[in-house]
């Protein structure tokens, strides 16, 4: 797979998948997320109102989202659209910007130099109902019912995990991935492949490892990951150190910050 993959995570109850887009996200208006362990990241949050006002347009038939890169997505404006199999309570419920900031604030991972635009979508994408991440981009898709804080935190940190693996462990780093897969017990390329069932995809396992090892209490919940057939992250010797090593930050400094 190309290093710039839009990796999708289910929000509306659908299985996630990966879609190649090669997005190059440019600077855009938004609210800096100062709630990070170092306050030195370049993460910007665009809440649902701002996203609708500044990045969406109605063409007389449907809504269109246009990202700063110029990439456009058709949005579904009603839960009664045939593409929405479960209309929920009849409304879309976007992520809460305050919960997104809180989820980022609780992340125990060095985010110096991390650049990412986070868009809280007012409506889901027609051909991507679920949340998604690229190297410098997160799209958080609304639910068909009110989203609990736990669900919001878990999904934010999971998608941040995708941003981190694309930035720090890209697909062309064959040695790095071989090390990770061996340590994680997922070296079998037939069972654990990009087109495998969602829970067996290496990128999804990485994102879940990141969520559980470095997310806050609401993001981690019971410490379980999507793939219950493999060892929980905390039980894998050396895994936390391996992921921390990708940050390039000295371990003594990390220990002192905890």
């Amino acid at each position: 797979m190309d290093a710039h993959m839009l990796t999708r995570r289910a929000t509306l109850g659908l299985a996630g998948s990966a879609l190649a887009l090669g997005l190059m996200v440019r600077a855009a208006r938004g609210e800096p997320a100062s709630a990070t362990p170092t306050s030195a990241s370049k993460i910007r949050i665009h809440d649902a109102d701002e996203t609708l006002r500044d990045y969406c347009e109605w063409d007389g038939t449907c809504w269109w989202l246009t990202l700063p890169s110029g990439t456009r997505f058709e949005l579904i404006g009603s839960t009664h659209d045939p593409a929405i199999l479960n209309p929920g309570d009849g409304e879309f419920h976007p992520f809460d910007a305050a919960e997104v900031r809180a989820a980022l604030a609780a992340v125990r991972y060095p985010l110096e130099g991390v650049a990412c635009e986070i868009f809280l979508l007012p409506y889901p994408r027609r051909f991507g109902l679920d949340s998604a991440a690229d190297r410098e981009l997160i799209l958080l898709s609304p639910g068909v019912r009110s989203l609990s804080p736990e669900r919001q935190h878990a999904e934010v940190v999971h998608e941040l995990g995708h941003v981190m693996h694309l930035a720090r462990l890209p697909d062309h780093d064959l040695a790095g991935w071989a090390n990770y897969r061996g340590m994680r017990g997922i070296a079998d390329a037939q069972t654990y492949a990009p087109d495998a069932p969602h829970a067996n995809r290496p990128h999804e396992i990485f994102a879940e490892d990141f969520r559980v090892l470095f997310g806050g209490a609401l993001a981690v919940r019971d410490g379980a990951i999507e793939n219950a057939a493999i060892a929980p992250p905390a039980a894998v010797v050396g895994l936390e150190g391996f992921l921390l090593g990708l940050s390039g930050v000295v371990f003594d400094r990390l220990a002192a910050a905890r």
Side-chain angles (χ1 to χ4, degrees):
M1 289 194 303
D2 185 85
H4 294 282
M5 285 295 207
L6 191 63
T7 306
R8 306 189 300 179
R9 174 85 176 155
T11 293
L12 296 174
L14 302 179
S17 63
L19 173 66
L21 286 181
L23 300 178
M24 297 300 293
V25 181
R26 298 191 298 266
R29 297 181 302 276
E31 180 180 358
S34 58
T36 64
T38 64
S39 297
S41 67
K42 299 177 181 178
I43 299 176
R44 302 177 72 85
I45 301 169
H46 308 272
D47 66 26
D49 289 339
E50 179 197 350
T51 298
L52 182 63
R53 182 188 69 238
D54 295 345
Y55 297 95
C56 297
E57 60 180 347
W58 174 257
D59 69 359
T61 303
C62 62
W63 286 98
W64 289 88
L65 168 70
T66 302
L67 296 176
S69 64
T71 303
R72 300 181 78 220
F73 296 99
E74 181 184 351
L75 303 181
I76 299 174
S78 170
T79 60
H80 300 295
D81 189 285
I84 305 299
L85 300 181
N86 175 10
D89 63 12
E91 297 181 8
F92 288 119
H93 297 268
F95 276 66
D96 183 339
E99 293 293 351
V100 175
R101 286 193 295 270
L104 293 171
V107 170
R108 300 179 300 103
Y109 192 89
L111 297 178
E112 287 104 329
V114 175
C116 182
E117 302 278 350
I118 302 179
F119 289 87
L120 281 52
L121 302 187
Y123 310 117
R125 295 168 297 141
R126 179 165 297 281
F127 301 108
L129 297 178
D130 35 17
S131 293
D134 198 359
R135 179 165 177 162
E136 295 182 349
L137 172 71
I138 293 175
L139 303 178
L140 295 174
S141 191
V144 294
R145 290 187 174 84
S146 181
L147 300 171
S148 69
E150 291 83 1
R151 182 169 179 176
Q152 293 185 65
H153 283 234
E155 193 153 339
V156 167
V157 182
H158 176 98
E159 298 300 344
L160 181 62
H162 283 304
V163 171
M164 298 307 297
H165 85 66
L166 288 166
R168 305 290 173 81
L169 190 62
D171 288 346
H172 60 76
D173 184 354
L174 301 182
W177 272 103
N179 191 1
Y180 171 74
R181 289 170 69 111
M183 181 185 308
R184 203 62 183 87
I186 58 171
D188 181 353
Q190 291 187 328
T191 301
Y192 302 100
D195 58 352
H198 193 264
N200 282 354
R201 297 174 187 176
H203 288 175
E204 297 301 329
I205 295 171
F206 183 104
E208 283 288 87
D209 286 346
F210 183 90
R211 175 182 66 81
V212 169
L213 291 176
F214 303 111
L218 291 179
V220 173
R221 294 175 292 188
D222 59 2
I225 59 173
E226 181 184 8
N227 191 329
I230 62 177
V236 179
V237 176
L239 179 60
E240 181 173 4
F242 174 82
L243 297 184
L244 284 172
L246 298 176
S247 72
V249 176
V250 178
F251 279 72
D252 289 345
R253 180 178 156 198
L254 289 172
R258 290 193 174 187

